[in-house]
Amino acid sequence: MNRPDEGRKPELIVMGNLSHNGGGDDDDAAPPEVNNAGDEGIMPLGDIDPVYEAKAKLLNHALSGKHPDLSNCSARGVIQEIGMGRYQWQLFAVAGFGWASDNLWPVVLSLIYTPVALELLPDKPPLLALSQNIGLLMGAMFWGFGCDMFGRRWAFNLTLGTTAVFGLAAAGAPNFTAIATAAALWSFGVGGNLPVDSAIFLEFLPASHQYLLTVLSFTWSLSQVIATSIAWPLLGNFTCQIDAKECTKGENMGWRYSLITIGGFTMVMFLLRFLAFTIYESPKYLASKGDDAKAVRVVYMVARRNGKMTTLTVDQLTACENGYAPKTSASSLVMRQLEDVKLHKVQTLFATKKLALSTSLIMTIWAFIGLGYPLYITFLPFIQASKGADFGDGSTYLTYRNSLIIAVVGLPGALVGAYLVERPRIGRKGTLCVSTILTGAFLYGSTTALNSDALLGWNCAFSFTSNVMYSVLYSYTPELFPTPSRGTGNALTATCNRIFGIMAPIVAMVGDIKTPIPVYVSSALFIAAGVLVVFLPFESRGKAAL
């Protein structure tokens, strides 16, 4: 949905040539290095394509709010750069919907898992979680890889819309096959939220505000509170007890009411994002595709939205290509598009030893967490109810009340993570390492609980540290990838996460979630992931994403 002003050529906010008038005097020079003192990139010079690297640094300055003194491939005569303004804060708000959806729907499935199984009597209830994780995997792959091919803008809206439509439809499911299919379809939308949203938000952020990616995880934590707040009255009062001998639809409408409520909430988020906000395509993405004119136009439109000025021109971006013969024939343009479906974007992430190590480790960390987290959290209400029955206090009402308490205690985790990632001695790596190891340790501790209060205490500690962990992981990961392959990198990590997530219900079925075995496996995976963080070669604190 475009606003009327988006399609018009933006007014010249400052003096500067928006069009390309030739290469100047340096046509035969090598691609110039943008001299951005004090604006060090996360990756060493030369780790990515030099032309794109120069353009990315130039765009970073245009979005940074700084007053650079550059030459050649430069932003000469900058009076006042864009900085953090109205557009970025609006994008911050609507991007939070994607973070919220990413946690909201998996939590919803964990909450309705037991009442669905009681009413529909499937032979293997964990297949519901399996269908969800298959949908998450397909969504991460399609939207994550796709946004590097067809852009971030449409995916940004369609992921949320897909989730809302199929989430609402799921409430009418007449049997287990129907609810499992609906879960896979809504999860297809959910799986694309973070790979796309984190990419486009990061690419509009000045380096000074990249910590906001961590702050966004507050909405991820808040969504769990919202889901459990809805579940407590609906599932707590309109759900069969776990020890019921018979469970009819009329006695068990709580999970359907919950899906209607959460689905409606997601639809409102989609409509706000689609109708009330105009999303521009990422200028870094456009520059990586060679569309410098559109990249500059977007910068001007963002500047106008922010009430700021910029002197960025197409000439300055094309100057970064000096020494490289432009390919403008029809066949070369077709070949450029075909490159998008090759392995080039993946190869970029393994171009040097450090990049290969970084990409491999972050993929492995996501994979371990992808199995460890759903293996425990998906079945948490069931574990609470079954353990509570053993302890003599396992009512449905108490189970969902405790779920809300756990969610509320975890809420400050994202804010703590946002604070710690900017501390000089701990940064992204230290915060992620410690919080991940502690998450595993608290899971181990939960197996020692002798009553419901002790189990609740351990679960609250797990909720807090896991929210710190996720807040850092979601912000740190996209910072490790350059823009031309950021969607692909996000897709790779999300795919690893979802593939291992598919294994969670399988482990649960084999290991029996009524025993401590799945919990032991989950906690070991968290601790192993935390140890691997130590070996990541890049610390992105205080450095600009390219």
Side-chain angles (χ1 to χ4, degrees), residues 425-460:
R425 294 187 178 181
I426 185 167
R428 269 72 158 167
K429 284 178 60 177
T431 306
L432 182 58
C433 174
V434 173
S435 61
T436 307
I437 290 175
L438 285 176
T439 298
F442 289 135
L443 271 188
Y444 268 127
S446 70
T447 63
T448 67
L450 299 177
N451 54 60
S452 289
D453 289 341
L455 180 62
L456 176 61
W458 285 113
N459 285 333
C460 285

PDB file of all heavy atoms in Angstrom, residues 425-460:
ATOM      1  N   ARG A 425      32.964  -4.384  28.087  1.00  0.00           N
ATOM      2  CA  ARG A 425      33.660  -5.608  28.473  1.00  0.00           C
ATOM      3  C   ARG A 425      32.864  -6.885  28.215  1.00  0.00           C
ATOM      4  O   ARG A 425      33.390  -7.975  28.404  1.00  0.00           O
ATOM      5  CB  ARG A 425      34.034  -5.540  29.962  1.00  0.00           C
ATOM      6  CG  ARG A 425      35.050  -4.461  30.262  1.00  0.00           C
ATOM      7  CD  ARG A 425      35.534  -4.528  31.696  1.00  0.00           C
ATOM      8  NE  ARG A 425      36.540  -3.516  31.978  1.00  0.00           N
ATOM      9  CZ  ARG A 425      37.149  -3.362  33.146  1.00  0.00           C
ATOM     10  NH1 ARG A 425      36.830  -4.177  34.158  1.00  0.00           N
ATOM     11  NH2 ARG A 425      38.052  -2.417  33.312  1.00  0.00           N
ATOM     12  N   ILE A 426      31.622  -6.734  27.819  1.00  0.00           N
ATOM     13  CA  ILE A 426      30.827  -7.936  27.585  1.00  0.00           C
ATOM     14  C   ILE A 426      30.254  -7.967  26.172  1.00  0.00           C
ATOM     15  O   ILE A 426      30.358  -8.974  25.493  1.00  0.00           O
ATOM     16  CB  ILE A 426      29.711  -8.076  28.648  1.00  0.00           C
ATOM     17  CG1 ILE A 426      28.966  -9.406  28.456  1.00  0.00           C
ATOM     18  CG2 ILE A 426      28.762  -6.900  28.645  1.00  0.00           C
ATOM     19  CD1 ILE A 426      28.077  -9.770  29.627  1.00  0.00           C
ATOM     20  N   GLY A 427      29.667  -6.865  25.686  1.00  0.00           N
ATOM     21  CA  GLY A 427      29.219  -6.774  24.307  1.00  0.00           C
ATOM     22  C   GLY A 427      28.245  -7.859  23.901  1.00  0.00           C
ATOM     23  O   GLY A 427      27.613  -8.513  24.731  1.00  0.00           O
ATOM     24  N   ARG A 428      28.148  -8.052  22.577  1.00  0.00           N
ATOM     25  CA  ARG A 428      27.226  -9.058  22.053  1.00  0.00           C
ATOM     26  C   ARG A 428      27.657 -10.467  22.435  1.00  0.00           C
ATOM     27  O   ARG A 428      26.858 -11.269  22.921  1.00  0.00           O
ATOM     28  CB  ARG A 428      27.162  -8.970  20.517  1.00  0.00           C
ATOM     29  CG  ARG A 428      26.094  -8.075  19.946  1.00  0.00           C
ATOM     30  CD  ARG A 428      26.370  -6.617  20.122  1.00  0.00           C
ATOM     31  NE  ARG A 428      25.636  -5.790  19.151  1.00  0.00           N
ATOM     32  CZ  ARG A 428      25.519  -4.485  19.252  1.00  0.00           C
ATOM     33  NH1 ARG A 428      26.053  -3.838  20.282  1.00  0.00           N
ATOM     34  NH2 ARG A 428      24.855  -3.800  18.334  1.00  0.00           N
ATOM     35  N   LYS A 429      28.928 -10.775  22.206  1.00  0.00           N
ATOM     36  CA  LYS A 429      29.401 -12.139  22.416  1.00  0.00           C
ATOM     37  C   LYS A 429      29.298 -12.565  23.878  1.00  0.00           C
ATOM     38  O   LYS A 429      28.822 -13.659  24.187  1.00  0.00           O
ATOM     39  CB  LYS A 429      30.843 -12.275  21.931  1.00  0.00           C
ATOM     40  CG  LYS A 429      30.998 -12.342  20.433  1.00  0.00           C
ATOM     41  CD  LYS A 429      32.462 -12.433  20.027  1.00  0.00           C
ATOM     42  CE  LYS A 429      33.133 -13.680  20.613  1.00  0.00           C
ATOM     43  NZ  LYS A 429      34.529 -13.804  20.156  1.00  0.00           N
ATOM     44  N   GLY A 430      29.751 -11.711  24.780  1.00  0.00           N
ATOM     45  CA  GLY A 430      29.738 -12.072  26.195  1.00  0.00           C
ATOM     46  C   GLY A 430      28.326 -12.275  26.722  1.00  0.00           C
ATOM     47  O   GLY A 430      28.048 -13.226  27.452  1.00  0.00           O
ATOM     48  N   THR A 431      27.430 -11.355  26.330  1.00  0.00           N
ATOM     49  CA  THR A 431      26.040 -11.470  26.786  1.00  0.00           C
ATOM     50  C   THR A 431      25.392 -12.739  26.252  1.00  0.00           C
ATOM     51  O   THR A 431      24.703 -13.458  26.986  1.00  0.00           O
ATOM     52  CB  THR A 431      25.223 -10.249  26.318  1.00  0.00           C
ATOM     53  OG1 THR A 431      25.868  -9.052  26.752  1.00  0.00           O
ATOM     54  CG2 THR A 431      23.818 -10.291  26.890  1.00  0.00           C
ATOM     55  N   LEU A 432      25.618 -13.035  24.975  1.00  0.00           N
ATOM     56  CA  LEU A 432      25.026 -14.231  24.375  1.00  0.00           C
ATOM     57  C   LEU A 432      25.589 -15.498  24.993  1.00  0.00           C
ATOM     58  O   LEU A 432      24.843 -16.444  25.282  1.00  0.00           O
ATOM     59  CB  LEU A 432      25.278 -14.228  22.861  1.00  0.00           C
ATOM     60  CG  LEU A 432      24.683 -15.381  22.061  1.00  0.00           C
ATOM     61  CD1 LEU A 432      23.171 -15.453  22.247  1.00  0.00           C
ATOM     62  CD2 LEU A 432      25.029 -15.235  20.577  1.00  0.00           C
ATOM     63  N   CYS A 433      26.886 -15.523  25.222  1.00  0.00           N
ATOM     64  CA  CYS A 433      27.527 -16.703  25.809  1.00  0.00           C
ATOM     65  C   CYS A 433      26.987 -16.999  27.204  1.00  0.00           C
ATOM     66  O   CYS A 433      26.546 -18.120  27.496  1.00  0.00           O
ATOM     67  CB  CYS A 433      29.041 -16.486  25.853  1.00  0.00           C
ATOM     68  SG  CYS A 433      29.959 -17.799  26.710  1.00  0.00           S
ATOM     69  N   VAL A 434      27.005 -16.009  28.072  1.00  0.00           N
ATOM     70  CA  VAL A 434      26.598 -16.216  29.473  1.00  0.00           C
ATOM     71  C   VAL A 434      25.112 -16.566  29.570  1.00  0.00           C
ATOM     72  O   VAL A 434      24.721 -17.491  30.286  1.00  0.00           O
ATOM     73  CB  VAL A 434      26.919 -14.962  30.312  1.00  0.00           C
ATOM     74  CG1 VAL A 434      26.347 -15.101  31.725  1.00  0.00           C
ATOM     75  CG2 VAL A 434      28.426 -14.747  30.386  1.00  0.00           C
ATOM     76  N   SER A 435      24.271 -15.820  28.856  1.00  0.00           N
ATOM     77  CA  SER A 435      22.827 -16.062  28.956  1.00  0.00           C
ATOM     78  C   SER A 435      22.443 -17.437  28.415  1.00  0.00           C
ATOM     79  O   SER A 435      21.543 -18.095  28.953  1.00  0.00           O
ATOM     80  CB  SER A 435      22.047 -14.969  28.217  1.00  0.00           C
ATOM     81  OG  SER A 435      22.379 -14.939  26.847  1.00  0.00           O
ATOM     82  N   THR A 436      23.119 -17.903  27.367  1.00  0.00           N
ATOM     83  CA  THR A 436      22.804 -19.209  26.791  1.00  0.00           C
ATOM     84  C   THR A 436      23.210 -20.335  27.727  1.00  0.00           C
ATOM     85  O   THR A 436      22.454 -21.307  27.928  1.00  0.00           O
ATOM     86  CB  THR A 436      23.505 -19.376  25.429  1.00  0.00           C
ATOM     87  OG1 THR A 436      23.182 -18.274  24.583  1.00  0.00           O
ATOM     88  CG2 THR A 436      23.064 -20.662  24.740  1.00  0.00           C
ATOM     89  N   ILE A 437      24.385 -20.225  28.331  1.00  0.00           N
ATOM     90  CA  ILE A 437      24.839 -21.252  29.274  1.00  0.00           C
ATOM     91  C   ILE A 437      23.936 -21.285  30.509  1.00  0.00           C
ATOM     92  O   ILE A 437      23.560 -22.360  31.001  1.00  0.00           O
ATOM     93  CB  ILE A 437      26.304 -21.006  29.667  1.00  0.00           C
ATOM     94  CG1 ILE A 437      27.216 -21.292  28.460  1.00  0.00           C
ATOM     95  CG2 ILE A 437      26.713 -21.886  30.850  1.00  0.00           C
ATOM     96  CD1 ILE A 437      28.677 -20.962  28.689  1.00  0.00           C
ATOM     97  N   LEU A 438      23.559 -20.109  31.015  1.00  0.00           N
ATOM     98  CA  LEU A 438      22.667 -20.058  32.176  1.00  0.00           C
ATOM     99  C   LEU A 438      21.300 -20.656  31.857  1.00  0.00           C
ATOM    100  O   LEU A 438      20.684 -21.319  32.710  1.00  0.00           O
ATOM    101  CB  LEU A 438      22.503 -18.619  32.665  1.00  0.00           C
ATOM    102  CG  LEU A 438      23.679 -18.013  33.427  1.00  0.00           C
ATOM    103  CD1 LEU A 438      23.401 -16.549  33.766  1.00  0.00           C
ATOM    104  CD2 LEU A 438      23.957 -18.804  34.711  1.00  0.00           C
ATOM    105  N   THR A 439      20.827 -20.448  30.640  1.00  0.00           N
ATOM    106  CA  THR A 439      19.542 -21.030  30.237  1.00  0.00           C
ATOM    107  C   THR A 439      19.590 -22.548  30.345  1.00  0.00           C
ATOM    108  O   THR A 439      18.664 -23.179  30.870  1.00  0.00           O
ATOM    109  CB  THR A 439      19.194 -20.612  28.789  1.00  0.00           C
ATOM    110  OG1 THR A 439      19.053 -19.190  28.743  1.00  0.00           O
ATOM    111  CG2 THR A 439      17.901 -21.268  28.323  1.00  0.00           C
ATOM    112  N   GLY A 440      20.672 -23.141  29.859  1.00  0.00           N
ATOM    113  CA  GLY A 440      20.838 -24.592  29.983  1.00  0.00           C
ATOM    114  C   GLY A 440      20.957 -25.045  31.423  1.00  0.00           C
ATOM    115  O   GLY A 440      20.392 -26.080  31.812  1.00  0.00           O
ATOM    116  N   ALA A 441      21.672 -24.269  32.233  1.00  0.00           N
ATOM    117  CA  ALA A 441      21.851 -24.635  33.637  1.00  0.00           C
ATOM    118  C   ALA A 441      20.522 -24.626  34.396  1.00  0.00           C
ATOM    119  O   ALA A 441      20.251 -25.519  35.218  1.00  0.00           O
ATOM    120  CB  ALA A 441      22.842 -23.672  34.296  1.00  0.00           C
ATOM    121  N   PHE A 442      19.685 -23.629  34.142  1.00  0.00           N
ATOM    122  CA  PHE A 442      18.390 -23.567  34.824  1.00  0.00           C
ATOM    123  C   PHE A 442      17.459 -24.698  34.385  1.00  0.00           C
ATOM    124  O   PHE A 442      16.623 -25.176  35.167  1.00  0.00           O
ATOM    125  CB  PHE A 442      17.729 -22.207  34.588  1.00  0.00           C
ATOM    126  CG  PHE A 442      18.405 -21.073  35.311  1.00  0.00           C
ATOM    127  CD1 PHE A 442      18.655 -19.867  34.674  1.00  0.00           C
ATOM    128  CD2 PHE A 442      18.809 -21.216  36.639  1.00  0.00           C
ATOM    129  CE1 PHE A 442      19.280 -18.826  35.340  1.00  0.00           C
ATOM    130  CE2 PHE A 442      19.438 -20.181  37.307  1.00  0.00           C
ATOM    131  CZ  PHE A 442      19.683 -18.980  36.660  1.00  0.00           C
ATOM    132  N   LEU A 443      17.601 -25.135  33.142  1.00  0.00           N
ATOM    133  CA  LEU A 443      16.816 -26.288  32.703  1.00  0.00           C
ATOM    134  C   LEU A 443      17.218 -27.541  33.476  1.00  0.00           C
ATOM    135  O   LEU A 443      16.365 -28.329  33.887  1.00  0.00           O
ATOM    136  CB  LEU A 443      17.008 -26.517  31.199  1.00  0.00           C
ATOM    137  CG  LEU A 443      16.059 -25.800  30.259  1.00  0.00           C
ATOM    138  CD1 LEU A 443      16.265 -26.280  28.836  1.00  0.00           C
ATOM    139  CD2 LEU A 443      14.617 -26.015  30.655  1.00  0.00           C
ATOM    140  N   TYR A 444      18.528 -27.737  33.628  1.00  0.00           N
ATOM    141  CA  TYR A 444      18.985 -28.861  34.445  1.00  0.00           C
ATOM    142  C   TYR A 444      18.393 -28.780  35.850  1.00  0.00           C
ATOM    143  O   TYR A 444      17.942 -29.775  36.420  1.00  0.00           O
ATOM    144  CB  TYR A 444      20.520 -28.871  34.545  1.00  0.00           C
ATOM    145  CG  TYR A 444      21.205 -29.700  33.499  1.00  0.00           C
ATOM    146  CD1 TYR A 444      22.205 -29.158  32.706  1.00  0.00           C
ATOM    147  CD2 TYR A 444      20.872 -31.044  33.299  1.00  0.00           C
ATOM    148  CE1 TYR A 444      22.853 -29.913  31.740  1.00  0.00           C
ATOM    149  CE2 TYR A 444      21.513 -31.801  32.339  1.00  0.00           C
ATOM    150  CZ  TYR A 444      22.499 -31.239  31.560  1.00  0.00           C
ATOM    151  OH  TYR A 444      23.132 -31.988  30.600  1.00  0.00           O
ATOM    152  N   GLY A 445      18.384 -27.571  36.393  1.00  0.00           N
ATOM    153  CA  GLY A 445      17.866 -27.386  37.738  1.00  0.00           C
ATOM    154  C   GLY A 445      16.401 -27.755  37.870  1.00  0.00           C
ATOM    155  O   GLY A 445      15.961 -28.233  38.921  1.00  0.00           O
ATOM    156  N   SER A 446      15.631 -27.544  36.791  1.00  0.00           N
ATOM    157  CA  SER A 446      14.194 -27.820  36.862  1.00  0.00           C
ATOM    158  C   SER A 446      13.892 -29.297  37.104  1.00  0.00           C
ATOM    159  O   SER A 446      12.819 -29.640  37.607  1.00  0.00           O
ATOM    160  CB  SER A 446      13.497 -27.356  35.574  1.00  0.00           C
ATOM    161  OG  SER A 446      13.855 -28.169  34.470  1.00  0.00           O
ATOM    162  N   THR A 447      14.817 -30.164  36.752  1.00  0.00           N
ATOM    163  CA  THR A 447      14.585 -31.604  36.961  1.00  0.00           C
ATOM    164  C   THR A 447      14.669 -31.990  38.430  1.00  0.00           C
ATOM    165  O   THR A 447      14.274 -33.094  38.809  1.00  0.00           O
ATOM    166  CB  THR A 447      15.609 -32.445  36.161  1.00  0.00           C
ATOM    167  OG1 THR A 447      16.943 -32.167  36.643  1.00  0.00           O
ATOM    168  CG2 THR A 447      15.534 -32.123  34.678  1.00  0.00           C
ATOM    169  N   THR A 448      15.166 -31.071  39.265  1.00  0.00           N
ATOM    170  CA  THR A 448      15.285 -31.367  40.708  1.00  0.00           C
ATOM    171  C   THR A 448      14.060 -30.918  41.495  1.00  0.00           C
ATOM    172  O   THR A 448      13.992 -31.141  42.703  1.00  0.00           O
ATOM    173  CB  THR A 448      16.527 -30.668  41.296  1.00  0.00           C
ATOM    174  OG1 THR A 448      16.335 -29.240  41.271  1.00  0.00           O
ATOM    175  CG2 THR A 448      17.783 -31.008  40.502  1.00  0.00           C
ATOM    176  N   ALA A 449      13.090 -30.264  40.819  1.00  0.00           N
ATOM    177  CA  ALA A 449      11.918 -29.712  41.510  1.00  0.00           C
ATOM    178  C   ALA A 449      11.102 -30.825  42.171  1.00  0.00           C
ATOM    179  O   ALA A 449      10.799 -31.839  41.547  1.00  0.00           O
ATOM    180  CB  ALA A 449      11.048 -28.933  40.535  1.00  0.00           C
ATOM    181  N   LEU A 450      10.727 -30.592  43.435  1.00  0.00           N
ATOM    182  CA  LEU A 450       9.940 -31.578  44.198  1.00  0.00           C
ATOM    183  C   LEU A 450       8.504 -31.125  44.414  1.00  0.00           C
ATOM    184  O   LEU A 450       7.703 -31.865  44.984  1.00  0.00           O
ATOM    185  CB  LEU A 450      10.616 -31.843  45.547  1.00  0.00           C
ATOM    186  CG  LEU A 450      12.037 -32.429  45.483  1.00  0.00           C
ATOM    187  CD1 LEU A 450      12.617 -32.584  46.884  1.00  0.00           C
ATOM    188  CD2 LEU A 450      12.043 -33.764  44.738  1.00  0.00           C
ATOM    189  N   ASN A 451       8.190 -29.889  43.980  1.00  0.00           N
ATOM    190  CA  ASN A 451       6.811 -29.403  44.079  1.00  0.00           C
ATOM    191  C   ASN A 451       6.587 -28.356  42.990  1.00  0.00           C
ATOM    192  O   ASN A 451       7.532 -27.929  42.311  1.00  0.00           O
ATOM    193  CB  ASN A 451       6.516 -28.820  45.472  1.00  0.00           C
ATOM    194  CG  ASN A 451       7.509 -27.747  45.875  1.00  0.00           C
ATOM    195  OD1 ASN A 451       7.633 -26.730  45.192  1.00  0.00           O
ATOM    196  ND2 ASN A 451       8.230 -27.966  46.973  1.00  0.00           N
ATOM    197  N   SER A 452       5.332 -27.935  42.822  1.00  0.00           N
ATOM    198  CA  SER A 452       4.981 -27.011  41.737  1.00  0.00           C
ATOM    199  C   SER A 452       5.639 -25.652  41.890  1.00  0.00           C
ATOM    200  O   SER A 452       6.016 -25.018  40.896  1.00  0.00           O
ATOM    201  CB  SER A 452       3.460 -26.843  41.669  1.00  0.00           C
ATOM    202  OG  SER A 452       2.849 -28.011  41.191  1.00  0.00           O
ATOM    203  N   ASP A 453       5.807 -25.179  43.126  1.00  0.00           N
ATOM    204  CA  ASP A 453       6.432 -23.873  43.338  1.00  0.00           C
ATOM    205  C   ASP A 453       7.898 -23.894  42.908  1.00  0.00           C
ATOM    206  O   ASP A 453       8.394 -22.926  42.304  1.00  0.00           O
ATOM    207  CB  ASP A 453       6.325 -23.472  44.812  1.00  0.00           C
ATOM    208  CG  ASP A 453       4.904 -23.115  45.208  1.00  0.00           C
ATOM    209  OD1 ASP A 453       4.100 -22.821  44.298  1.00  0.00           O
ATOM    210  OD2 ASP A 453       4.595 -23.148  46.417  1.00  0.00           O
ATOM    211  N   ALA A 454       8.598 -24.973  43.221  1.00  0.00           N
ATOM    212  CA  ALA A 454      10.003 -25.095  42.819  1.00  0.00           C
ATOM    213  C   ALA A 454      10.124 -25.164  41.296  1.00  0.00           C
ATOM    214  O   ALA A 454      10.996 -24.524  40.690  1.00  0.00           O
ATOM    215  CB  ALA A 454      10.629 -26.336  43.458  1.00  0.00           C
ATOM    216  N   LEU A 455       9.219 -25.939  40.670  1.00  0.00           N
ATOM    217  CA  LEU A 455       9.230 -26.030  39.215  1.00  0.00           C
ATOM    218  C   LEU A 455       8.955 -24.670  38.587  1.00  0.00           C
ATOM    219  O   LEU A 455       9.602 -24.276  37.605  1.00  0.00           O
ATOM    220  CB  LEU A 455       8.182 -27.050  38.751  1.00  0.00           C
ATOM    221  CG  LEU A 455       8.071 -27.277  37.238  1.00  0.00           C
ATOM    222  CD1 LEU A 455       9.371 -27.826  36.673  1.00  0.00           C
ATOM    223  CD2 LEU A 455       6.905 -28.215  36.924  1.00  0.00           C
ATOM    224  N   LEU A 456       8.013 -23.921  39.175  1.00  0.00           N
ATOM    225  CA  LEU A 456       7.706 -22.582  38.685  1.00  0.00           C
ATOM    226  C   LEU A 456       8.921 -21.663  38.800  1.00  0.00           C
ATOM    227  O   LEU A 456       9.222 -20.889  37.884  1.00  0.00           O
ATOM    228  CB  LEU A 456       6.525 -21.993  39.461  1.00  0.00           C
ATOM    229  CG  LEU A 456       6.131 -20.547  39.137  1.00  0.00           C
ATOM    230  CD1 LEU A 456       5.712 -20.421  37.676  1.00  0.00           C
ATOM    231  CD2 LEU A 456       5.000 -20.087  40.068  1.00  0.00           C
ATOM    232  N   GLY A 457       9.634 -21.755  39.909  1.00  0.00           N
ATOM    233  CA  GLY A 457      10.823 -20.924  40.112  1.00  0.00           C
ATOM    234  C   GLY A 457      11.902 -21.189  39.068  1.00  0.00           C
ATOM    235  O   GLY A 457      12.473 -20.253  38.489  1.00  0.00           O
ATOM    236  N   TRP A 458      12.194 -22.465  38.821  1.00  0.00           N
ATOM    237  CA  TRP A 458      13.194 -22.818  37.812  1.00  0.00           C
ATOM    238  C   TRP A 458      12.752 -22.345  36.427  1.00  0.00           C
ATOM    239  O   TRP A 458      13.571 -21.847  35.633  1.00  0.00           O
ATOM    240  CB  TRP A 458      13.427 -24.328  37.797  1.00  0.00           C
ATOM    241  CG  TRP A 458      14.240 -24.853  38.933  1.00  0.00           C
ATOM    242  CD1 TRP A 458      13.809 -25.682  39.941  1.00  0.00           C
ATOM    243  CD2 TRP A 458      15.622 -24.603  39.200  1.00  0.00           C
ATOM    244  NE1 TRP A 458      14.836 -25.956  40.809  1.00  0.00           N
ATOM    245  CE2 TRP A 458      15.960 -25.308  40.382  1.00  0.00           C
ATOM    246  CE3 TRP A 458      16.606 -23.849  38.560  1.00  0.00           C
ATOM    247  CZ2 TRP A 458      17.241 -25.289  40.919  1.00  0.00           C
ATOM    248  CZ3 TRP A 458      17.896 -23.824  39.089  1.00  0.00           C
ATOM    249  CH2 TRP A 458      18.197 -24.539  40.266  1.00  0.00           C
ATOM    250  N   ASN A 459      11.472 -22.500  36.126  1.00  0.00           N
ATOM    251  CA  ASN A 459      10.971 -22.084  34.819  1.00  0.00           C
ATOM    252  C   ASN A 459      11.016 -20.568  34.641  1.00  0.00           C
ATOM    253  O   ASN A 459      11.238 -20.065  33.537  1.00  0.00           O
ATOM    254  CB  ASN A 459       9.538 -22.588  34.612  1.00  0.00           C
ATOM    255  CG  ASN A 459       9.472 -24.074  34.309  1.00  0.00           C
ATOM    256  OD1 ASN A 459      10.415 -24.640  33.771  1.00  0.00           O
ATOM    257  ND2 ASN A 459       8.369 -24.715  34.670  1.00  0.00           N
ATOM    258  N   CYS A 460      10.803 -19.834  35.732  1.00  0.00           N
ATOM    259  CA  CYS A 460      10.915 -18.374  35.666  1.00  0.00           C
ATOM    260  C   CYS A 460      12.351 -17.953  35.362  1.00  0.00           C
ATOM    261  O   CYS A 460      12.590 -17.046  34.545  1.00  0.00           O
ATOM    262  CB  CYS A 460      10.451 -17.745  36.979  1.00  0.00           C
ATOM    263  SG  CYS A 460       8.654 -17.747  37.217  1.00  0.00           S
TER     264      CYS A 460
END
